[in-house]
Amino acid sequence: MGLDGGTAGGRFLDAAIGLLERVRDDEGESITAAGELIADTVVAGGRLFAFGAGHSSLAAQDLVYRAGGLALMNLLAVPGAVGVDVMPATLGSALERVDGLATAVLDSSPLRAGDLLVVISLSGRNALPVEMASHARELGAKVIGVTSVAYATETTSRHSSGTFLKDHCDLVLDSKIAVGDAELTLDTIPAPFAPASTVVTSAILQSVMATAAASLADRGVEPPLLRSGNVDGGLDWNDRVMREYGDRIFYLR
């Protein structure tokens, strides 16, 4: 039996589907451009990195060491800000507001000119993603930002520059998520609930990765894709890809 559209579960799925349809219709050109930029980076010998803090890190992690994904995508982690595993969990949120942290992390990371960094931040207002994007560009890397552009008009920046993530990117992908990231309300529940940002952001980025893989194939380049280790031959396939591209894969070291 399917979920009825009148139930909370059904309403959430309908809301998520609606957001994905909006992204497909409104962000198609940007998704294509982002995939092409990633393919350009791979062909030119550049390295790929993804960053997100807190729950935004979930979409970044979904790109790394992923069956069906590009082997070259590396997680750019900020200690204490990657997820809710830090104790207390509120520390991660506090670190997102610290000026200078992103610069210190980038300056000690492998990222260099010619690389590409995906920065994911729903609000795009905190110091960490803003500075991560701006400093990466100063270092000569390309930046793709995934954010909800609505925050830039409905909230204020928490970075000393007064800017948002969207202001420091070569390409911006708008997730269309409403400020507050809660899709449902009920008279019997005092707060809005049911966040959809992870579902939508992950779908956007997998669409970008699919575009990149197809673009590489169109150029006559075999996309460096990983296969599931749970299918026959998958581990041998992955060993070959990792040997071939080992100098651009940092999660093996």
Side-chain angles (χ1 to χ4, degrees), residues 14 21 32 69 81 131 149 159 171 193 220 238:
D14 286 343
E21 289 177 337
T32 298
E131 187 179 323
V149 173
H159 187 250
L171 278 169
F193 60 103
N238 292 343

Side-chain angles (χ1 to χ4, degrees), residues 130-215:
V130 171
E131 187 179 323
M132 188 69 71
S134 63
H135 191 54
R137 292 179 84 190
E138 290 172 356
L139 294 174
K142 296 291 187 182
V143 175
I144 296 172
V146 187
T147 187
S148 171
V149 173
Y151 277 83
T153 57
E154 299 182 37
T155 69
T156 56
S157 171
R158 287 177 172 153
H159 187 250
S160 56
S161 67
T163 61
F164 287 77
L165 168 61
K166 73 175 186 64
D167 301 315
H168 302 280
C169 300
D170 296 280
L171 278 169
V172 176
L173 302 174
D174 184 3
S175 65
K176 313 293 184 184
I177 300 294
V179 173
D181 193 16
E183 292 299 317
L184 302 184
T185 58
L186 280 176
D187 292 341
T188 54
I189 299 178
F193 60 103
S197 60
T198 303
V199 172
V200 175
T201 301
S202 290
I204 289 172
L205 287 170
Q206 291 301 343
S207 180
V208 169
M209 294 300 127
T211 302
S215 177

